[in-house]
Amino acid sequence: MAITIKTPEEIEKMRVAGKLASDVLMMIGEHVKKGVTTDELNTICHNYIVDVQDSIPAPLNYGHPPFPKSICTSVNHVICHGIPGDKKLKDGDIVNIDVTVIKDGFHGDTSKMFVVGKPSILAERLIRITQECLYKAIKIVKPGIKLGDIGHVIQHHAEGNNYSVVREYCGHGIGAVFHEDPQVVHYGRPNTGDELQAGMCLTIEPMINAGKRYSKVLPDQWTVVTKDRSLSAQWEHTLLVTDSGVEILTHRGEENIPQIISH
Ligand code: MF3
Ligand code: CO
Ligand code: CO
């Protein structure tokens, strides 16, 4: 599959889908607290996406075997693709909620870390450094840079802080298809790989471990955990490459990075 360049009409639909996905993360925050189950969070998000946003939760029935829920909830040592279930969140847990909505045929994909009660200093630092990895990568995005430049910025910041970068899962092109070309890996060497062009939409979604980088998939065939059971964090945005830089399609008002960056 080739990399798609979006038309102005498609870009407008990506803006709408991106905003809806970010709205779900804004909405769910107040519900992420001690005693709630991740399945309850799933139900709240599912109903909001379907009933309020008149949209489709992309994860539901996605892939093989079909993903059984509408969001991913990845707690503590779960790297990604955690399946919402009946375990209650407890004080000190960290949880990534990953939301993908389809509106008018286009996808918006974004995730955020939440903390339950008071997290450990280590957890707080891992979450912060991982968000910095995402932001540092976003800030270099413009036509002419290469995918390896993105990977390098993330790997350099993570490893410079004694963390490791998960290699088996990556960001991706996105549009009418959930996971399009190119693959956006979160490690690499400057000036290598495909060049970015205006009109491309892609996600950057670094998964950073406090311990070693190795992962394994649980028997449910979805849940990805750290092999050494160390904590893992992830943040994700859907981006549009513009003529002069980047637009964060899933930007939340609360964030300390501008939605539109022009170089
Ligand atoms: N939202 C994930 C991503 O960022 C993909 C989840 S696929 C699912 O690409 F089936 F697990 F939902
Ligand atoms: Co994604
Ligand atoms: Co996602």
Side-chain angles (χ1 to χ4, degrees), residues 58-60 62-63 67 69 71-72 81 98-100 109 170 172 178-179 203 205 222 234 236:
L60 188 59
Y62 180 81
F67 191 79
K69 299 286 174 175
I71 59 171
C72 297
H81 303 169
D98 192 337
V99 169
T100 311
D109 186 10
C170 58
H172 48 92
F178 192 167
H179 295 108
T203 75
E205 46 183 299
W222 275 106
Q234 178 178 30
E236 174 176 25

Side-chain angles (χ1 to χ4, degrees), residues 22-205:
S22 70
D23 285 347
V24 177
L25 289 181
M26 293 294 288
M27 178 279 300
I28 199 63
E30 67 177 284
H31 300 281
V32 183
K33 52 186 189 215
K34 188 169 103 182
V36 76
T37 69
T38 48
D39 197 45
E40 287 164 351
L41 297 175
N42 175 74
T43 299
I44 296 167
C45 289
H46 175 95
N47 291 340
Y48 190 81
I49 292 166
V50 171
D51 299 333
V52 178
Q53 299 188 329
D54 195 20
S55 301
I56 300 166
L60 188 59
N61 295 317
Y62 180 81
H64 305 282
F67 191 79
K69 299 286 174 175
S70 295
I71 59 171
C72 297
T73 52
S74 301
V75 180
N76 296 335
H77 70 294
V78 179
I79 294 171
C80 63
H81 303 169
I83 301 173
D86 56 16
K87 237 178 92 183
K88 289 181 162 72
L89 292 178
K90 58 181 195 313
D91 206 38
D93 281 347
I94 65 170
V95 54
N96 175 277
I97 299 184
D98 192 337
V99 169
T100 311
V101 307
I102 310 172
K103 181 71 169 182
D104 207 1
F106 285 80
H107 291 72
D109 186 10
T110 185
S111 81
K112 165 178 174 172
M113 295 301 299
F114 295 88
V115 301
V116 180
K118 183 103 192 87
S120 67
I121 298 288
L122 184 136
E124 226 158 39
R125 181 170 177 275
L126 175 67
I127 289 169
R128 175 174 58 81
I129 298 286
T130 303
Q131 189 178 42
E132 288 170 5
C133 286
L134 173 61
Y135 285 176
K136 283 175 184 286
I138 290 173
K139 285 174 180 164
I140 66 162
V141 170
K142 62 177 179 181
I145 73 147
K146 294 187 176 172
L147 287 174
D149 298 326
I150 293 175
H152 175 74
V153 161
I154 293 166
Q155 183 177 15
H156 181 80
H157 192 56
E159 293 180 357
N161 283 284
N162 273 8
Y163 295 143
S164 65
V165 178
V166 174
R167 306 233 177 164
E168 294 85 358
Y169 304 89
C170 58
H172 48 92
I174 182 167
V177 175
F178 192 167
H179 295 108
E180 295 184 355
D181 281 344
Q183 293 197 25
V184 181
V185 301
H186 303 114
Y187 58 92
R189 282 175 298 118
N191 206 29
T192 63
D194 288 333
E195 195 173 288
L196 297 191
Q197 281 178 53
M200 288 175 51
C201 290
L202 50 91
T203 75
I204 303 178
E205 46 183 299

